[in-house]
Amino acid sequence: SVREWYKGKNVLLSGGTGFMGKVLVEKLLRSCTNIGTIYIICRSKRGLTPAQRIADFAKIPLFGPLLKDNPKALQKIVAIEGDITVEDLGLKPETRLELQQKVNVIFHVAASLKLEAGLKEATAFNLKGTLRMLELALGVKNLEVFVHLSTAFCHCEEDILEERLYEPIYNPHDILSAMDWMNDKMIEVITPKLLDRHPNCYTFTKRLAESLIAEYGSKLPLTVLRPSIVVPSMKEPLRGWVDSLNGPIGVMAAAGKGVLRSMLCKPDYRAELIPVDVAINSIITLACKRAKIQTNEVLTYNLSSSETVPIIWGEVVELGRDVIKKYPYDAGLWYPGGTMRTNPYIHAIFVFLCQTIPAYLIDFIMLLTRNKRFMVRVQNRIRLGMELLQYFTMRQWNFRTEQFIGAFKSLNPEEQEIFFVPISNVDVRQLIKDAIVGSRVYCLKEPIETLPRARKHLKWLYWLDKISQFSLVLLFAWMLISYFPVLRQFINFITPDFAASTMMHKVTKTA
């Protein structure tokens, strides 16, 4: 039994205040009620100490159902002041000693998810941070498993990603050493050569981190888990729970607000997605599975639902567009629309005409009315986000998941319900609806009670959009008729009344 195995186990978690980290903590406390202490390494942020940040979990809707059933559940969490980017994780000697004496399970979830981050920053978080966690683990006396969270997109050079580790492309220690002595200019020059087929420094450094993990395979009980694109929760503890607008959810929100009109995407390619609660269920059960196996092999799993619940990007966008019209975002700037395109040049033209120019016009109006300008800044953020995302939506990914699905099927029926992984009969429309409504409520803080107002606003935007389109068509037709005499003569020929009215207008003007 997975729950029985976690009984009395003390857990150390990095990244516990992030999106996946919070869901992992909640699930452990709710489903593994006899778990020991959960130590969370986190740093002070925005004037809040680590203890205050953990105490604020009680204010997050995610923990509402748990605290309703067990008001004292959060007392099992101990905030540890630390930072994976600091030497020795920034831990006090006595704290480090306590962890090495008491911890049984380590979940290394912390990472820099900034896809636009430079190589030095990404290396500090994703590579050096992983090395520091491994060095800490070496001193843990009763360690039963170390779980490293990677990403399914870290092996861009592979046409089919197997559930195993790959040979390193570079020695990770050489990269770490280079980041120590190279200046920013040198790093900027060598980065494109190092990245090669990698779209950004995030996937590159996560690839190198797996090479580090492989080095420690004979020293520690390790497992590597590679989730694909993590999306809002499927059903627990709340449908559609999400706390950030990264990835597809940000695209849906931008399109729903009317500020995104074009995206580069192959509509026939599979969308490699996994709901966050499904990913967390898998992380918990696979950690237990690895701990029970005596081997020096680093067991590796690809966490994705594309083979069991196949869905293509075109379907995601169409369903999302339909759902947004029924559950619109509040205070949209324009009627939701936009199109997927595969030609980058046509896409660039539409972005310029339908996003960039309107953004400058809106900011100009805001300037004239002495209001704060914001639209150009919003469009710049959207442009950056879409440039980073398009690498993943313009390529067909192939992830093998036999070991991942096999591990789930090996659970007893009761625990398949508790730690569910959807392998058939998934209502994709409901999943997308929950994700959009969740982003509306939890990220944008738009209460569900505002839906009637949002629907009225959407109707107004619909007619404004239609009138604008009709006006543009008339303007374009008038310009053609005015500047092309042959076309004007043809119109005069097929519409005598039009010609007569045109002549009358000229006579009146002359008089």
Side-chain angles (χ1 to χ4, degrees), residues 16 107 111 146 200 232 236 360 450 482:
F107 292 104
F146 182 114
N200 51 60
E236 66 171 27
Y360 278 96
T450 64
S482 299

Side-chain angles (χ1 to χ4, degrees), residues 112 114-115 117-120 122-123 126-127 150-151 153-157 168-172 174-176 178-179 187 190-212 391-392:
S112 171
K114 293 168 61 178
L115 300 185
L119 184 57
K120 191 164 190 173
T123 299
N126 303 332
L127 193 54
S150 185
T151 173
F153 302 99
C154 67
H155 294 277
C156 305
E157 70 280 2
I169 48 176
Y170 296 105
N171 185 323
D174 291 342
I175 301 298
L176 287 171
M179 294 303 103
I187 294 173
I190 69 166
T191 295
K193 178 64 177 177
L194 289 175
L195 294 187
D196 193 22
R197 293 181 61 182
H198 284 267
N200 51 60
C201 297
Y202 169 72
T203 63
F204 176 69
T205 51
K206 294 296 276 186
R207 168 79 159 88
L208 292 175
E210 287 194 5
S211 300
L212 272 182
Y391 179 85
F392 304 99

